[in-house]
Amino acid sequence: MHPPVALTRPWPEDADDIAAALADWDVVRWLTTLPWPYSTDDAREFIAAAGLDEHAIRQDGRLVGMVQAGRVFGIWVAPDQQGQGIGRRAGVLALSRLFLSGASEVHAHCLVGNDRSARLLAWLGFQPCGRTVLQSRPLRADVQADMLRLDRNTFQQRHSIALTTPRLRIDAVTPDDLPALHRIVTQPDVARMLLRYDPAMTLDDVQPLLLQGALVPPLRLAVRQQGQVIGIVGLSEGPPPRLNYFLDPAHAGQGLGQEMVAAVFAELVARLDPSEVLAGAFVDNDASRKILKNLGFRRGEDLELQSLGRASPRPPPSIAGGLGCWASRRFRAAAAG
C-alpha cells in the first residue's frame, strides 16, 4: 500500500518545517544549491520564489519533504521520515504530473556517493547518461555527479496506474483482455448506459476505445476479480477530464462498482491533481448516480446526449443512424488535493 502522501504548493507556514529538516547536514550535503547552515529566513525566501514545478510533500498535512519535476528532477525527504517509501510515492506523483503536461523526458543529477538517491532514481526509471562536475554551495567545492535521464515511455512501463483493493486488481488493459471486455460492453444493458458502444460492435470496433494507456488521459484500466476481467474505469481527455466506467452486470449488487471507481478516482486525483472532473450518468442509471454522489460529485446540469446503445424509434432529423437522444445528468467534482 502506498504511504498517504499528497503534493501541494509550499506554503508560508511551512518555513519552520523546511528549516528543521534542512538543519541536518546529511540532507543538505547532497543538495548543491542550498546554503549552509540553512535558516528559517532561507526557507521563507525559497517558498516565495518556488516555481510551479516544485511541490511540497505532505503526510497528514505536514510538510515532510520537497520534490521538483520540471526541466530537472530533484527530491529531499526529512530525516525522520526516510525509509517509509515517501520518496518513491512522491516521485511517482510528481513525474506523472510532469508527463501529463506533455513533457517527453526529464533529467536529474546524483552526487557520487549518494547511494540512497541513486537507488530511488533507478527505481523511478532514470538511466545514467554521463558524468559531470557541479559546484556545491554547502560543500564550497566542486563535486562529481552522475547525469541521468528518464523518458515518458520508460516511466509509463514502470509506473502506470496499478491498484489493489480488498477484492480487486486494477491495472492496464492488455490485448488479452479485449474479448472479455467486448463481451461485457456489447451487452445491451451495458451499452445503453454508455455513449460510444453499440451491441453490434465487433472486437475490432471496440479495440481503440478500450486499449489505451494507463498513465495519463486518455486512459483505461481493467478491473479484475480473481483474475477475471469484470469491468473498466477510464478517464477521457479534458479539460476538464471525464470519468467513465462499466461493470459486468453479472457482478452487480456487490458494491464492486463503488470499490473500483473510488480507488481509481482517488489515484487520479493524487497523481494528476485535476481542478475538477466531470462524469455523466443517464437519469435511469440509479447505480451510477449513487456511485458518483458517494464520491462527492454534485449535479451540474441535465443534457440531451446521443447513445449508440439506445435505438430511438423516431430519431430527430439531425441524428443519423437512428441514435437515441436521451437525458443524461452531468456531474462535477472539485478534485484538487
Side-chain angles (χ1 to χ4, degrees):
M1 180 178 293
H2 300 306
V5 170
L7 302 186
T8 74
R9 298 291 298 145
W11 303 326
E13 55 267 35
D14 295 324
D16 288 340
D17 285 334
I18 292 175
L22 297 181
D24 190 304
W25 174 246
D26 283 336
V27 176
V28 176
R29 70 191 182 104
W30 301 115
L31 305 172
T32 58
T33 62
L34 299 185
W36 179 260
Y38 193 92
S39 69
T40 302
D41 286 341
D42 293 320
R44 293 193 184 102
E45 290 180 10
F46 163 74
I47 292 168
L52 294 178
D53 61 351
E54 294 178 288
H55 310 283
I57 307 170
R58 298 190 187 278
Q59 192 168 40
D60 297 326
R62 175 196 164 198
L63 184 144
V64 297
M66 290 292 306
V67 57
Q68 180 182 28
R71 185 180 60 85
V72 296
F73 176 86
I75 188 170
W76 61 262
V77 176
D80 62 337
Q81 299 296 319
Q82 294 177 6
Q84 303 178 39
I86 290 173
R88 288 188 173 192
R89 178 61 170 166
V92 167
L93 298 185
L95 289 167
S96 294
R97 297 180 191 185
L98 173 67
F99 290 121
L100 174 66
S101 74
S104 60
E105 65 178 21
V106 59
H107 293 261
H109 294 102
C110 180
L111 298 193
V112 174
N114 190 352
D115 296 336
R116 181 187 294 272
S117 180
R119 288 193 296 270
L120 171 60
L121 292 170
W123 180 85
L124 288 169
F126 282 86
Q127 298 294 322
C129 57
R131 183 164 283 189
T132 189
V133 175
L134 301 175
Q135 186 176 37
S136 170
R137 188 176 176 189
L139 290 171
R140 297 181 176 90
D142 290 339
V143 293
Q144 288 194 325
D146 290 317
M147 300 184 295
L148 303 104
R149 174 183 175 273
L150 173 65
D151 62 64
R152 175 176 172 150
N153 287 338
T154 299
F155 182 77
Q156 180 165 267
Q157 290 169 9
R158 287 176 173 245
H159 302 293
S160 289
I161 296 174
L163 307 170
T164 300
T165 72
R167 295 180 290 177
L168 304 171
R169 174 68 177 174
I170 304 170
D171 55 19
V173 177
T174 71
D176 290 343
D177 298 327
L178 293 175
L181 291 170
H182 171 258
R183 178 190 61 78
I184 297 169
V185 82
T186 54
Q187 294 181 47
D189 287 346
V190 176
R192 69 188 303 273
M193 295 303 182
L194 304 171
L195 296 178
R196 304 174 67 185
Y197 298 95
D198 182 329
M201 280 181 160
T202 66
L203 186 62
D204 288 340
D205 293 332
V206 301
Q207 177 173 330
L209 300 176
L210 298 174
L211 193 60
Q212 299 184 354
L215 179 65
V216 298
L219 62 84
R220 298 289 183 270
L221 301 170
V223 180
R224 312 172 194 279
Q225 186 180 43
Q226 298 179 349
Q228 177 185 359
V229 177
I230 64 170
I232 211 165
V233 183
L235 192 71
S236 300
E237 292 180 292
R242 295 172 180 266
L243 185 69
N244 49 78
Y245 46 89
F246 61 79
L247 176 69
D248 189 337
H251 296 269
Q254 305 174 47
L256 295 174
Q258 188 75 58
E259 186 174 326
M260 71 188 200
V261 179
V264 174
F265 182 65
E267 182 69 3
L268 293 173
V269 170
R271 285 198 183 216
L272 307 181
D273 191 33
S275 58
E276 69 172 345
V277 176
L278 294 184
F282 283 101
V283 293
D284 57 349
N285 192 345
D286 293 337
S288 185
R289 289 163 53 211
K290 181 178 179 180
I291 287 171
L292 294 173
K293 289 181 178 180
N294 286 343
L295 291 177
F297 284 76
R298 293 295 176 259
R299 176 179 175 178
E301 57 184 319
D302 288 351
L303 303 171
E304 291 283 321
L305 298 178
Q306 300 176 16
S307 168
L308 289 174
R310 299 185 181 222
S312 171
R314 293 191 301 274
S318 61
I319 301 176
L323 301 181
C325 201
W326 295 72
S328 175
R329 184 155 295 161
R330 191 184 197 191
F331 291 82
R332 293 179 180 268

